[in-house]
Amino acid sequence: MRISNVEGPLDPSLIQFLTSQLSIQVAACSDAGEPTLARALGARMSADGHRLALMVPVSQARELLTCIAANGHIAAVFNEPETHRTVQLKGNDARIEAISAADAAALGPYVERLARRLQHYQVPEAFSRAFYAADPADLVAVSFSPSAVYGQTPGPHAGEPLKPGKAP
Amino acid sequence: MNPYLSIDTLRNCLEGVIPAGVATCSRDLVPNVSYVSQVMYVDQDHIALSFQFFNKTRENILANPLATVLMVDPDTAARYRMKARYLRTETQGPLFERMKARLAGIASHEGLVGVFRLRGTDVYRILDIEAVPGAELPRQLPGRAILPALRQCSERLHNCSSLEDLVDNLLDALDRSLGLSHSMLLIADRPGAKLYVVASRGYPSSGIGAEIPLGVGVIGIAAREQVPIRIMFTAAEYAYTRAVREQAIAEGLVDALEQVINLPGLNEPSSQMAIPLPGIRGLIGVLYTESQQECRFSYDLEDALVTLCAQAGLAIQGLQLADEPRLVAPPADCLCIEDPLADASPDPLRVEYHDRDHSVFIDGDYLIKGVAGAVLWRILNDYRERGRVDFSNRELRLDSRLGLPEISDNLEARLILLSRRLQERSPFLRIEKTGRGRFRLLLQRPLVLVPMNPCAAPPPGGISQPAASADQA
């Protein structure tokens, strides 16, 4: 089944939000209907605004990557911890790619920024650094063209499709 | 299932400190991922997720019950992936209330008060738990080993020979062995649908005699549902402010509560825990402890207190039975031999009694009401009319005028309450235990007994008074 509320490139403000070093979790499911999930460590949008790539540590996401390779279905949730602003994207053409040198270089700043965000909840920096630690050699990029976007900020409207141009 | 990973040893991940992620998928294989405010431990094979909003996760599990949860240990950053199968949703009862109370704390922690509304508790069977590889911080040694402390507390209770002894030892043991420095023990008044404080520790004022209705606040809900409630963060809606109690009265949840004695307690506790004391025939009371420190009480500590309270509940029942001097018949009328007024000051003590609620005032100050008030009035009248100072619990229990409930009257607890209120409020009038199931009235001033509103037909359980005028003893 194809769900779509996205046509063309994503809204620039949404792209800015998705790539602003947020907490990211990625889900997929097997052809038998078994869901799985893992954390992603950073997001990059293609220059034309059509394809989003998420950095995923292979060692933490073997089942997820197997599912994506099998059917290409993907869901990813992006959360800004200190504001609770949350967006979920879905796609059905996900594929696994090697990361670029720029992706590897972005890992350090990503961890640093999230550690700062979590200090809002008095989470010690040492904890954040362990939580988001990854070896760039262990990362792959999972890219997909988002076909649906949902607002998931906690509240009664969580889960509703996000209207184009509307902030999460 | 990995035999070495049990949710029993991973409960730290379920405290709501870091929200977990949950993945589901629809029947047509569209995955969904969202954050879940609370994953709650149910038992070694089950967890529960909070259902707050009708959303895709909800829709998916009703169509395809498989879910996977990604959770993290808030101390070590270790991650675990748990596969589970949705079984059912509970919308009321102990599990629901436990989750609702915990959610209130989590909402406050996350700055989302008023956003979360628990619609249901979704119960899942755990299918598998997998450790996700990655960096971890070394686990810190726990500050205090709970099992040895539990054993010490248990031994303290085991050696108690009276209810009064037990009540004091319980709170003292919690403080010394487990570092729980703010605590109180409340006994259930089931006919009155409320609980009253018989002992407290760590507060400027003891609050003995203060009441809380069943179903109100952490203590009231723990009592009504007979389930332990533990809150990790400040949760204003579960505090015991006077406003909460007044609201309960306004809504007709209970009759007017004792308003003169303020409930002891911290103003804004950051951690709260209320554990029911079960008895053979139902609830005995509730143990409550609180702290200014967030996340002070762990799942393991909750286990320890549940175990200890099970022992305490049975011990209280046993001591109440043992308090009856069944083998030695009490003297029918033990006239006073000693002169309790030897050091009496000439000023009489004015004791007022109100039939309506059995409330007693000494020199114009409120002392106590209910069964404890009726007992005091009864023994003071016996003293005035016959000079008696020695009484037995059994004679009180058999006195139909006191209107004690037949089952679980908790007379001993009420006598402790009375004795402690007198200690706090009236230096010239005391009751003192003289043996198993026996106590003595000690008076240092003459008495004036003033029945304030005698009526021709006393209310059930009330004490009728023949005279309306003041009668000096």
Side-chain angles (χ1 to χ4, degrees):
Chain A
M1 183 180 145
R2 291 184 179 266
I3 301 171
S4 176
N5 66 356
V6 176
E7 287 175 12
L10 292 183
D11 191 276
S13 65
L14 179 59
I15 292 173
Q16 200 279 327
F17 178 70
L18 296 173
T19 55
S20 64
Q21 288 135 332
L22 303 174
S23 167
I24 307 167
Q25 302 202 49
V26 194
C29 62
S30 71
D31 289 344
E34 297 157 331
T36 185
L37 75 165
R39 284 196 168 267
L41 302 173
R44 162 176 48 82
M45 182 56 88
S46 64
D48 62 3
H50 280 276
R51 211 160 170 88
L52 186 67
L54 306 175
M55 311 311 140
V56 175
V58 175
S59 61
Q60 298 182 11
R62 295 193 187 281
E63 194 176 337
L64 179 98
L65 296 172
T66 303
C67 291
I68 286 172
N71 58 41
H73 295 309
I74 189 169
V77 68
F78 298 75
N79 167 265
E80 189 174 54
E82 66 274 34
T83 63
H84 304 289
R85 286 200 299 161
T86 309
V87 169
Q88 183 179 195
L89 267 60
K90 295 199 180 182
N92 41 48
D93 63 351
R95 58 174 184 254
I96 301 158
E97 302 161 349
I99 62 164
S100 66
D103 292 334
L107 181 64
Y110 173 83
V111 174
E112 204 159 296
R113 177 81 186 277
L114 258 185
R116 278 206 308 277
R117 290 185 185 279
L118 290 176
Q119 280 172 5
H120 181 77
Y121 295 99
Q122 288 81 48
V123 175
E125 193 180 332
F127 178 92
S128 300
R129 290 195 177 279
F131 190 40
Y132 295 109
D135 179 354
D138 189 35
L139 294 182
V140 291
V142 175
S143 77
F144 67 104
S145 46
S147 57
V149 185
Y150 302 92
Q152 236 165 262
T153 303
H157 299 296
E160 292 178 3
L162 195 68
K163 294 192 176 95
K166 190 173 177 293
Chain B
M1 162 109 61
N2 182 335
Y4 302 106
L5 274 184
S6 155
I7 194 67
D8 283 351
T9 55
L10 301 177
R11 295 187 298 181
N12 203 23
C13 301
L14 309 182
E15 297 289 21
V17 178
I18 297 174
V22 58
T24 57
C25 84
S26 66
R27 252 187 210 157
D28 40 15
L29 305 185
V30 177
N32 191 82
V33 57
S34 64
Y35 285 92
V36 60
S37 306
Q38 189 178 171
V39 183
M40 195 171 76
Y41 174 84
V42 177
D43 58 39
Q44 60 185 0
D45 296 318
H46 299 89
I47 48 130
L49 303 190
S50 56
F51 159 38
Q52 298 166 68
F53 309 108
F54 293 100
N55 55 24
K56 199 70 189 172
T57 297
R58 180 80 190 152
E59 194 183 315
N60 282 353
I61 57 155
L62 295 178
N64 168 15
L66 297 177
T68 299
V69 176
L70 184 61
M71 53 193 190
V72 56
D73 185 312
D75 294 327
T76 67
R79 281 133 289 189
Y80 301 92
R81 215 164 0 233
M82 174 168 55
K83 294 189 175 179
R85 175 185 289 272
Y86 167 72
L87 297 178
R88 64 180 184 278
T89 299
E90 297 186 8
T91 55
Q92 58 179 5
L95 198 61
F96 179 81
E97 293 294 346
R98 239 177 87 195
M99 179 172 266
K100 192 173 161 193
R102 289 171 59 81
L103 193 61
I106 292 169
S108 155
H109 168 60
E110 296 185 4
L112 289 168
V113 173
V115 175
F116 291 169
R117 181 192 149 216
L118 189 65
R119 291 175 185 271
T121 299
D122 291 339
V123 181
Y124 290 74
R125 172 179 288 280
I126 298 167
L127 303 175
D128 186 37
I129 301 175
E130 166 203 0
V132 178
E136 290 177 27
L137 296 175
R139 185 170 294 285
Q140 300 290 317
L141 282 175
R144 200 182 287 260
I146 289 178
L147 273 180
L150 171 63
R151 182 173 174 168
Q152 287 161 15
C153 293
S154 175
E155 284 170 357
R156 287 277 298 273
L157 288 197
H158 187 68
N159 293 327
C160 292
S161 57
S162 72
L163 186 59
E164 192 154 19
D165 203 16
L166 183 143
V167 161
D168 290 335
N169 268 287
L170 175 60
L171 299 189
D172 186 61
L174 291 179
D175 192 351
R176 285 169 191 263
S177 300
L178 286 161
L180 304 177
S181 49
H182 300 285
S183 62
M184 60 182 102
L185 181 67
L186 299 96
I187 296 292
D189 172 357
R190 283 192 277 169
K194 61 196 176 191
L195 301 117
Y196 54 92
V197 178
V198 287
S200 72
R201 191 174 173 98
Y203 303 109
S205 145
S206 80
I208 286 169
E211 296 175 346
I212 190 92
L214 284 187
V216 171
V218 180
I219 295 171
I221 292 169
R224 188 188 67 199
E225 302 294 337
Q226 299 198 28
V227 66
I229 304 270
R230 185 170 58 96
I231 302 183
M232 304 284 288
F233 307 97
T234 304
E237 56 265 56
Y238 283 84
Y240 296 105
T241 59
R242 200 175 183 87
V244 170
R245 304 199 310 150
E246 280 165 1
Q247 184 193 341
I249 295 164
E251 289 173 358
L253 288 177
V254 285
D255 295 334
L257 290 165
E258 166 40 334
Q259 292 293 301
V260 181
I261 309 172
N262 286 323
L263 202 74
L266 302 174
N267 274 340
E268 283 195 350
S270 297
S271 297
Q272 302 181 70
M273 182 153 60
I275 312 284
L277 274 68
I280 293 166
R281 291 186 296 250
L283 183 75
I284 299 288
V286 169
L287 174 71
Y288 174 74
T289 183
E290 59 187 347
S291 169
Q292 297 285 27
Q293 183 190 331
E294 281 189 348
C295 306
R296 170 67 180 80
F297 308 135
S298 64
Y299 268 110
D300 284 351
L301 184 64
E302 178 184 323
D303 284 351
L305 292 198
V306 166
T307 306
L308 193 65
C309 285
Q311 182 190 357
L314 292 176
I316 288 174
Q317 264 186 344
L319 289 169
Q320 283 181 340
L321 291 174
D323 238 5
E324 288 296 331
R326 294 184 187 284
L327 299 178
V328 184
D333 257 337
C334 173
L335 289 177
C336 174
I337 299 169
E338 301 163 50
D339 179 7
L341 303 180
D343 300 325
S345 89
D347 296 333
L349 205 60
R350 180 184 164 90
V351 181
E352 292 171 9
Y353 177 72
H354 296 256
D355 262 348
R356 182 175 42 84
D357 58 358
H358 313 303
S359 56
V360 174
F361 292 75
I362 295 184
D363 285 342
D365 291 332
Y366 173 80
L367 179 76
I368 199 83
K369 73 176 170 73
V371 172
V375 164
L376 180 62
W377 187 246
R378 193 266 204 194
I379 63 176
L380 290 178
N381 275 276
D382 256 21
Y383 168 73
R384 185 198 60 186
E385 288 163 12
R386 295 191 281 173
R388 286 187 64 201
V389 292
D390 287 307
F391 301 90
S392 75
N393 295 5
R394 167 162 270 199
E395 68 176 290
L396 295 179
R397 191 163 279 128
L398 295 175
D399 188 339
S400 60
R401 294 174 302 169
L402 292 177
L404 285 167
E406 285 183 17
I407 297 173
S408 285
D409 59 25
N410 287 326
L411 176 62
E412 288 75 10
R414 294 173 199 275
L415 288 174
I416 292 174
L417 174 65
L418 175 58
S419 158
R420 295 187 171 189
R421 279 295 288 170
L422 286 169
Q423 268 175 30
E424 288 180 359
R425 311 295 297 186
S426 175
F428 305 105
L429 171 58
R430 297 280 176 89
I431 61 169
E432 191 177 271
K433 203 170 164 74
T434 49
R436 182 171 278 189
R438 304 191 64 79
F439 66 94
R440 176 167 294 165
L441 177 66
L442 301 170
L443 263 170
Q444 291 182 347
R445 280 167 58 181
L447 273 181
V448 178
L449 298 183
V450 188
M452 295 302 286
N453 49 354
C455 47
I463 294 177
S464 61
Q465 280 305 309
S469 59
D471 188 3
Q472 182 151 351

